[in-house]
Amino acid sequence: MLMRTRRRMVLPPNKRKNQRLHALVTAYARQKDAYLVELAKAKNWVLWRLHSADKRAFARRFSVHQLPVHIEDQCIFDACNTMIRWVESVKVLDQWKAQIFRHLPRDEDAAQRHVYFRLIQHDDQIADVLMGHHYDPWLFHLLSHSLRHAPRVKNQRSVVLDSSNYRVGVWKGRQFLSVSTLQKGHRIMLHLQGDVPVQGTLRLVWDDDHWEVHTTQSVKVCRKPFRIKALALDAGITEVFTDQQGQRYGTEYGRIVERVEERLVDTGKKRNQIRQAALHKKLPNESDAQRHQAKIKKHNLGQKKQKRRQKQARAAMATTINCSVNAVLVQDPEQTIVEDLNQMRGKAKGKKMSRQVSLWTRSILQERLDFKTQVRGSHLQAVASAYTSQECSQCGYTAKDNRHGDHFRCLWCGTVDTADGNAAKVILKRSTDPEITWWMKKETIKKILDQRHARITGETLAPVVKAASLVEEAAHR
């Protein structure tokens, strides 16, 4: 069943309620962190998927006895789910299957690959490899390196409550929650925005300056007849997507990124000037200088406004991406083909901006595509992203000089196209390419492309020389 998270805003509570809520969240975070430390030990991995009674028995052994019983139960369930999501995310981000293919690329190694696939499929089998019960040095190194940093609670900002820890009611026409606290018999009334029903297990979250209530609900999957066989998409920085027909989606995305970059550079320059002025200001003694620098840091170099602007920029990007994905899926494609988003980096000017934008873009794009393609019933396929912007969609010649900004001109065959449109056509070709798979290294892909081009043309003439000769012939004509 496909689920989604619904967020409800909480009207600002008074100071006393805020203090009691933060005390509850702090105690919950401390207890969850204690559980995570114990659950991260390989011998306890089997507990992650056991029944509730076994998890409760484990929780009582490592409880600090600050939370109410029912909230403590939700804490151990939450910790187990965190560990499960951690392993699943590492499995995808570190591309375990791709590394197994690279380690055993030959057809005669298929049996050993299947053994590795079975061993990384379940948590208890991964734990057996880490504890040495299944001895394999290469697989042990792969798993131990990927799983060397177990999750810990770094931000004290949420608490999970079941139906016994809150009550829902209406007071003066507004919906409210009556939430349990650390003090037995004393509940806090929180007023909510909107009137959507609240039921089941919920999460109360502190989001920088306000409280939110997160609940889950099932999503109905659409079953419509497909109108398009396949739709290939190239993700960009001036627009969200470009398909193989040259259609662009989310063209305002580039303006948002440009505004964020300009503001980031301008703010950085001004903050550096203020910092340098505070350091070089002459004062009678060292203590006065330290007090002055501390005052400047508190009142002039704070990050509250920066975080708020980053949050607004991320929300604007998310809105543009969401609308673009909707526009793509309105065409009802049977298969949606994209480049591997884990490889999408370096698409913005400046190192810091590139890191931020690529991180935001990858996470939002991946989440929206995964969710909406499932809702629409479209199959999402990822292909290798290496050299998609440099490979010619017509002859297959690959060179860095083929692309100049948003323009593409093949140095070999002279094909002219937009850079993103050509990349989308290459992505479409790779979806059915038996030689190039998504797990291959870029060096291997480049070697395959060069060999393929030499096979097709049967020529060894340098492409730049050939391009120059074609220009000369055209001039003589």
Side-chain angles (χ1 to χ4, degrees), residues 325-474:
V325 175
N326 289 337
V328 167
L329 295 178
V330 161
Q331 305 174 57
D332 296 326
E334 182 178 357
Q335 190 176 25
T336 305
I337 308 165
V338 296
E339 57 187 337
D340 188 2
L341 297 177
N342 293 323
Q343 308 288 335
M344 193 176 67
R345 290 181 173 86
K347 289 199 172 185
K349 297 179 181 179
K351 293 182 179 179
K352 185 172 182 179
M353 188 62 193
S354 178
R355 286 194 300 269
Q356 291 184 354
V357 172
S358 64
L359 175 62
W360 295 347
T361 304
R362 287 200 311 274
S363 60
I364 298 171
L365 272 179
Q366 187 68 60
E367 190 273 331
R368 288 289 85 191
L369 281 172
D370 287 343
F371 176 75
K372 289 189 173 291
T373 50
Q374 290 184 61
V375 172
R376 293 275 185 170
S378 178
H379 173 66
L380 182 63
Q381 179 184 356
V383 300
S385 60
Y387 301 104
T388 53
S389 62
Q390 300 178 16
E391 179 185 352
C392 178
S393 59
Q394 299 297 324
C395 69
Y397 175 70
T398 304
K400 185 177 181 180
D401 293 333
N402 281 351
R403 176 173 181 174
H404 296 279
D406 292 334
H407 303 284
F408 183 91
R409 183 181 184 276
C410 180
L411 295 179
W412 191 275
C413 67
T415 299
V416 178
D417 199 350
T418 61
D420 295 331
N422 177 79
K425 295 174 184 176
V426 174
I427 291 171
L428 181 63
K429 288 172 55 179
R430 289 193 182 179
S431 64
T432 56
D433 195 328
E435 295 183 4
I436 300 178
T437 54
W438 63 270
W439 49 265
M440 284 183 174
K441 293 183 178 180
K442 63 178 183 179
E443 294 82 8
T444 307
I445 294 176
K446 183 64 165 63
K447 187 176 180 180
I448 293 173
L449 294 175
D450 291 342
Q451 292 175 351
R452 186 179 295 174
H453 180 262
R455 229 174 20 244
I456 294 173
T457 60
E459 300 181 22
T460 58
L461 184 64
V464 176
V465 176
K466 181 176 180 179
S469 64
L470 291 175
V471 172
E472 291 178 1
E473 289 179 7

Side-chain angles (χ1 to χ4, degrees), residues 60-96:
R60 300 301 178 261
R61 292 170 50 198
F62 302 99
S63 173
V64 296
H65 304 292
Q66 291 184 345
L67 296 173
V69 175
H70 292 285
I71 299 182
E72 194 173 75
D73 292 341
Q74 295 302 317
C75 187
I76 184 61
F77 301 156
D78 188 18
C80 291
N81 290 333
T82 299
M83 299 301 294
I84 293 172
R85 292 196 301 270
W86 167 58
V87 173
E88 295 297 330
S89 63
V90 169
K91 189 183 302 184
V92 174
L93 293 176
D94 287 359
Q95 299 182 347
W96 287 359

Side-chain angles (χ1 to χ4, degrees), residues 236-240 248 250-255 406 420:
I237 199 66
T238 55
E239 66 282 325
V240 179
R248 303 169 70 195
T251 53
E252 65 274 15
Y253 183 75
R255 293 192 293 272
D406 292 334
D420 295 331

Side-chain angles (χ1 to χ4, degrees), residues 148-408:
R148 63 189 184 278
H149 299 303
R152 298 289 298 273
V153 178
K154 298 180 180 179
N155 298 320
Q156 301 174 357
R157 58 187 298 268
S158 68
V159 58
V160 179
L161 307 172
D162 64 3
S163 56
S164 64
N165 298 124
Y166 70 88
R167 292 196 303 267
V168 184
V170 178
W171 186 70
K172 292 186 178 181
R174 186 178 295 278
Q175 193 179 43
F176 71 87
L177 287 180
S178 179
V179 181
S180 299
T181 60
L182 297 179
Q183 190 174 359
K184 186 176 180 179
H186 292 266
R187 295 195 171 211
I188 296 177
M189 183 181 294
L190 301 176
H191 296 276
L192 305 178
Q193 291 184 355
D195 55 357
V196 179
V198 177
Q199 58 184 359
T201 302
L202 59 83
R203 184 181 291 271
L204 183 63
V205 180
W206 171 251
D207 188 8
D208 292 336
D209 56 354
H210 66 277
W211 293 94
E212 292 181 356
V213 172
H214 295 184
T215 57
T216 57
Q217 65 176 21
S218 59
V219 179
K220 185 179 179 181
V221 178
C222 299
R223 299 297 181 187
K224 293 183 178 180
F226 300 114
R227 293 187 293 168
I228 302 176
K229 180 67 177 177
L231 189 63
L233 302 172
D234 176 69
I237 199 66
T238 55
E239 66 282 325
V240 179
F241 292 122
T242 303
D243 62 17
Q244 69 267 28
Q245 305 298 331
Q247 177 66 33
R248 303 169 70 195
Y249 305 90
T251 53
E252 65 274 15
Y253 183 75
R255 293 192 293 272
I256 297 174
V257 173
E258 187 176 355
R259 286 199 301 269
V260 173
E261 183 179 11
E262 291 175 355
R263 183 180 296 167
L264 184 66
V265 172
D266 182 62
T267 303
K269 289 181 179 179
K270 291 179 179 178
R271 290 172 67 90
N272 286 335
Q273 292 174 358
I274 294 173
R275 191 179 291 108
Q276 292 298 323
L279 289 174
H280 293 89
K281 185 174 182 178
K282 295 182 179 180
L283 292 172
N285 51 58
E286 186 176 352
S287 61
D288 290 342
Q290 291 177 351
R291 284 196 296 270
H292 176 71
Q293 292 172 12
K295 186 184 296 184
I296 293 295
K297 183 177 180 181
K298 178 179 179 181
H299 298 288
N300 300 91
L301 298 176
Q303 295 185 346
K304 184 180 293 185
K305 185 182 292 185
Q306 275 190 321
K307 291 181 178 179
R308 184 172 68 249
R309 287 178 174 176
Q310 287 183 358
K311 188 175 180 180
Q312 292 172 350
R314 184 183 175 91
M317 291 180 182
T319 301
T320 306
I321 290 173
N322 193 58
C323 295
S324 302
V325 175
N326 289 337
V328 167
L329 295 178
V330 161
Q331 305 174 57
D332 296 326
E334 182 178 357
Q335 190 176 25
T336 305
I337 308 165
V338 296
E339 57 187 337
D340 188 2
L341 297 177
N342 293 323
Q343 308 288 335
M344 193 176 67
R345 290 181 173 86
K347 289 199 172 185
K349 297 179 181 179
K351 293 182 179 179
K352 185 172 182 179
M353 188 62 193
S354 178
R355 286 194 300 269
Q356 291 184 354
V357 172
S358 64
L359 175 62
W360 295 347
T361 304
R362 287 200 311 274
S363 60
I364 298 171
L365 272 179
Q366 187 68 60
E367 190 273 331
R368 288 289 85 191
L369 281 172
D370 287 343
F371 176 75
K372 289 189 173 291
T373 50
Q374 290 184 61
V375 172
R376 293 275 185 170
S378 178
H379 173 66
L380 182 63
Q381 179 184 356
V383 300
S385 60
Y387 301 104
T388 53
S389 62
Q390 300 178 16
E391 179 185 352
C392 178
S393 59
Q394 299 297 324
C395 69
Y397 175 70
T398 304
K400 185 177 181 180
D401 293 333
N402 281 351
R403 176 173 181 174
H404 296 279
D406 292 334
H407 303 284
F408 183 91

